[in-house]
Amino acid sequence: MTNERGDSVKKLVTDGMLAAVLLVTGMFKIPSFLPGAEFQISAPFAVAVAKILGFKRYLMIGLAASVCGFAVGAQNLLNIMVAMVYRVVVGLLLDLFPDSKAAVALCGPCGTFVSRLLLAQVLGVDWVLLVLYALPGMAFTAVLAPVFIKAGRRFGLQ
């Protein structure tokens, strides 16, 4: 038997834990064949959180992860900007197409693409190179996001 307060405490604890996991998974990079093209395990995890918990809650979890990362010196404002653009694009696409399996597979790569475009503008570099180096991670996210969603639901994420 749960009440409204018990549910809100459970959500607060769950969201805090997810923010910590999102921060930590963002620090781990999986190597690629191309130097500089490694990718983070946090991308498909983030898509799963957004799909299961919804845009608003996902955005708050991501913001908490970014603030914590900034506070401990693991992220700078540029990292946070890129991550927040990714989160907004992912969340909006999943909100616009809630029942679409294609949206689940494509929202991560779209988020990466848009964040790389913005990063290129901020840094004054060629966007094509930034996107090319991100392609392995985009493919990785497209393939693994549905797997992470299934795992999240199986383990009771709600």
Side-chain angles (χ1 to χ4, degrees):
M1 183 168 165
T2 61
N3 59 20
E4 186 176 318
R5 182 166 183 213
D7 289 344
S8 63
V9 170
K10 182 181 175 183
K11 278 185 177 181
L12 181 64
V13 171
T14 301
D15 291 358
M17 289 172 43
L18 290 172
V21 171
L22 188 60
L23 175 62
V24 170
T25 57
M27 293 178 189
F28 289 104
K29 309 258 193 279
I30 296 175
S32 176
F33 295 111
L34 299 170
E38 65 276 343
F39 41 93
Q40 300 171 336
I41 195 77
S42 63
F45 177 73
V47 172
V49 170
K51 177 68 176 168
I52 296 169
L53 300 180
F55 181 42
K56 182 180 174 185
R57 199 164 160 201
Y58 161 65
L59 200 57
M60 292 299 111
I61 290 167
L63 186 58
S66 290
V67 168
C68 290
F70 186 72
V72 299
Q75 294 182 355
N76 59 39
L77 294 176
L78 194 59
N79 298 125
I80 293 171
M81 177 199 69
V82 168
M84 292 308 291
V85 168
Y86 176 87
R87 292 174 184 138
V88 168
V89 171
V90 166
L92 286 175
L93 285 174
L94 290 175
D95 250 14
L96 289 172
F97 306 102
D99 299 324
S100 170
K101 290 182 181 185
V104 167
L106 295 176
C107 67
C110 288
T112 299
F113 182 79
V114 173
S115 65
R116 294 294 172 126
L117 289 178
L118 182 65
L119 183 61
Q121 288 296 312
V122 170
L123 297 177
V125 298
D126 185 13
W127 68 271
V128 175
L129 289 176
L130 289 179
V131 171
L132 283 176
Y133 276 103
L135 286 177
M138 293 163 79
F140 174 79
T141 300
V143 170
L144 281 186
V147 175
F148 277 50
I149 291 168
K150 186 175 182 180
R153 287 187 173 143
R154 186 168 194 206
F155 290 113
L157 184 60
Q158 39 181 304

